[in-house]
Amino acid sequence: MASMPPAQYYIGLMSGTSLDGVDGVIVDHQCQRIIVQTYQPYTEQLKQDLRQLTQSGQTSLSNLAEMDIKVARIFSDTVLSLLDKSGILATQISAIGSHGQTIYHQGGRYSMQIGHGAFIAEQTGVTTVADFRMQDVAAGGQGAPLTPMYHRLLLNGKSGLVVNMGGIANISQISNDIVSGFDTGPANTLLDNWIKQHKALDYDRDGLWSRSGLIDKALLEKLLSDEYFQLCTPKSTGPEYFNLEWLASYLTGNEAPEDVQRTLVELTAMSISQYISDKSDVYLCGGGVHNVFLLERLRYLNPNSVIMLTNELGVHVDYVEAAAFAYFAKRTLAQEPSNIVEVTGAKQTRILGAIYAI
Ligand SMILES: Nc1ncnc2c1ncn2[C@@H]1O[C@H](COP(=O)(O)OP(=O)(O)O)[C@@H](O)[C@H]1O
Ligand SMILES: [Mg+2]
């Protein structure tokens, strides 16, 4: 009788605050190599419903339950598509690490994700670890960022900085195995929401619209003086804070929309630049990497830094976060912690996540 191939892979699933869709990967047993990757975009309807939910902070319990299942279904479909694409069997997967979709994050108080792990486990037949953030929060931490632990693995013993530019930007600084990290502020979330409001587009492709505007120096100065940028670490944030109401509180109402977009690119670039100037080993990842204009600005503002992409470390910029959650699932099953107390501020390291075993 042919023996079953051993379970030797992990799956990671991630959708961030941009609400664009699910990034999924199958990684090898060491979580150091991506075997296959896929992206499952959210439907327009789901994006709209999630935006409504996250921006208003209001819904009925029945709608929340329904959204939880809808999101779980897309996460499950992402797994099935990864298996299909690779020819790897569900029985060869040790576990899925699913971040879920954050719908409410207030660092230090609460961090809520939907896309239930039980549903994903049933739909895929694979043990699923989900709800990674709450144990850190319960232990007094921000619940974010968690990825620094994986960024250390990615750097494989080297020193360096990893900057993830999703809806929010977070940075990890790794030096001699000492890891620090925090959210620097907005990366794409304000850019996406401003262009959505003025041009009904999901994002400013390649930064073309922002390139057509001029920096409003007075506005930029006011935005940069916001208290979040002055806060000491540990700190984490989300679109609950950096949203169009936040922006409106700094606008006079006389600004040209393209100038605001241009100024928001500079806000992202400058709030990151203060941590990467004169550094010789900066690796970028996340969807913001595709904003050609944003990258141009980061390079312009940091002429003495060597700015690379995580692709040079072997992991595609769009799948770093997904791979991180595969790694965290492995750590959870091995009863190893995935939070770093210096990063999140939790009182102790904790084994993260809830396990839905099959
Ligand atoms: N070609 C592009 N030009 C400009 N921005 C882009 C481009 N491609 C992706 N993005 C940005 O990346 C975001 C998605 O990045 P992602 O890393 O998935 O963020 P999150 O982790 O918040 O989901 C989009 O919402 C958009 O702002
Ligand atoms: Mg995304």
Side-chain angles (χ1 to χ4, degrees):
M1 205 173 77
S3 61
M4 293 265 286
Q8 54 182 330
Y9 302 106
Y10 290 88
I11 285 181
L13 303 171
M14 173 74 197
S15 176
T17 49
S18 302
L19 308 175
D20 55 316
V22 187
D23 306 313
V25 292
I26 298 182
V27 298
D28 70 331
H29 192 71
Q30 276 72 41
C31 301
Q32 277 172 326
R33 197 167 61 85
I34 293 182
I35 310 290
V36 63
Q37 56 203 33
T38 198
Y39 171 63
Q40 189 93 30
Y42 284 160
T43 60
E44 278 311 313
Q45 185 63 52
L46 184 59
K47 274 189 210 175
Q48 215 174 305
D49 293 348
L50 282 168
R51 253 187 240 122
Q52 160 71 20
L53 180 68
T54 52
Q55 286 175 8
S56 69
Q58 307 279 328
T59 191
S60 65
L61 281 175
S62 63
N63 186 51
L64 179 60
E66 201 178 309
M67 298 282 288
D68 195 8
I69 291 171
K70 270 190 198 158
V71 169
R73 193 168 293 131
I74 297 201
F75 274 64
S76 305
D77 289 348
T78 310
V79 172
L80 299 178
S81 136
L82 283 167
L83 295 175
D84 194 43
K85 242 174 132 172
S86 62
I88 292 172
L89 306 171
T91 49
Q92 290 175 275
I93 309 289
S94 303
I96 295 167
S98 176
H99 173 268
Q101 179 64 60
T102 298
I103 55 165
Y104 183 73
H105 177 83
Q106 213 171 54
R109 282 198 61 215
Y110 212 89
S111 189
M112 185 187 271
Q113 285 76 39
I114 58 171
H116 210 290
F119 190 92
I120 299 172
E122 285 299 329
Q123 290 296 303
T124 61
V126 180
T127 291
T128 299
V129 188
D131 198 14
F132 283 91
R133 301 196 187 271
M134 230 12 224
Q135 193 73 49
D136 181 82
V137 173
Q142 293 284 312
L146 298 178
T147 43
M149 172 75 82
Y150 172 70
H151 293 159
R152 177 172 60 186
L153 181 79
L154 198 58
L155 282 168
N156 198 15
K158 290 194 298 252
S159 294
L161 289 102
V162 180
V163 184
N164 173 47
M165 300 190 291
I168 298 294
N170 66 274
I171 188 164
S172 301
Q173 300 160 315
I174 292 137
S175 162
N176 299 325
D177 229 35
I178 297 171
V179 184
S180 62
F182 55 92
D183 289 347
T184 58
N188 298 303
T189 188
L190 295 169
L191 292 167
D192 288 355
N193 283 306
W194 187 254
I195 199 168
K196 181 105 204 147
Q197 178 169 308
H198 290 273
K199 293 189 163 275
L201 294 170
D202 277 354
Y203 61 91
D204 182 9
R205 185 171 287 274
D206 303 339
L208 282 179
W209 190 44
S210 56
R211 200 190 276 279
S212 73
L214 295 172
I215 298 178
D216 181 328
K217 289 213 178 83
L219 174 62
L220 180 61
E221 207 170 297
K222 280 191 279 176
L223 298 177
L224 281 168
S225 69
D226 183 82
E227 64 176 5
Y228 183 79
F229 301 112
Q230 331 303 328
L231 278 180
C232 297
T233 59
K235 62 176 176 179
S236 67
T237 190
E240 297 79 2
Y241 185 79
F242 287 109
N243 52 37
L244 291 184
E245 274 126 72
W246 176 85
L247 179 60
S249 72
Y250 290 104
L251 295 177
T252 61
N254 296 323
E255 298 87 354
E258 63 273 22
D259 292 348
V260 174
Q261 189 78 358
R262 173 68 188 87
T263 306
L264 290 174
V265 166
E266 208 66 8
L267 174 70
T268 296
M270 285 190 71
S271 53
I272 292 171
S273 288
Q274 57 179 303
Y275 305 105
I276 64 170
S277 68
D278 300 329
K279 296 284 177 1
S280 60
D281 38 24
V282 183
Y283 295 93
L284 304 179
C285 60
V289 166
H290 304 298
N291 185 328
V292 181
F293 187 52
L294 174 59
L295 244 66
E296 234 176 81
R297 291 308 300 162
L298 278 170
R299 294 210 156 101
Y300 177 85
L301 292 169
N302 300 284
N304 299 320
S305 304
V306 181
I307 301 179
M308 299 164 276
L309 305 183
T310 55
N311 301 33
E312 302 196 31
L313 298 170
V315 177
H316 187 286
V317 290
D318 290 328
Y319 296 95
V320 172
E321 296 244 299
F325 284 88
Y327 180 51
F328 299 154
K330 175 178 172 160
R331 295 185 67 91
T332 302
L333 292 191
Q335 302 198 5
E336 288 169 349
S338 294
N339 61 339
I340 295 173
V341 295
E342 291 77 10
V343 172
T344 67
K347 60 178 181 277
Q348 274 181 338
T349 58
R350 290 284 185 253
I351 301 162
L352 302 181
I355 303 171
Y356 297 91
I358 288 285

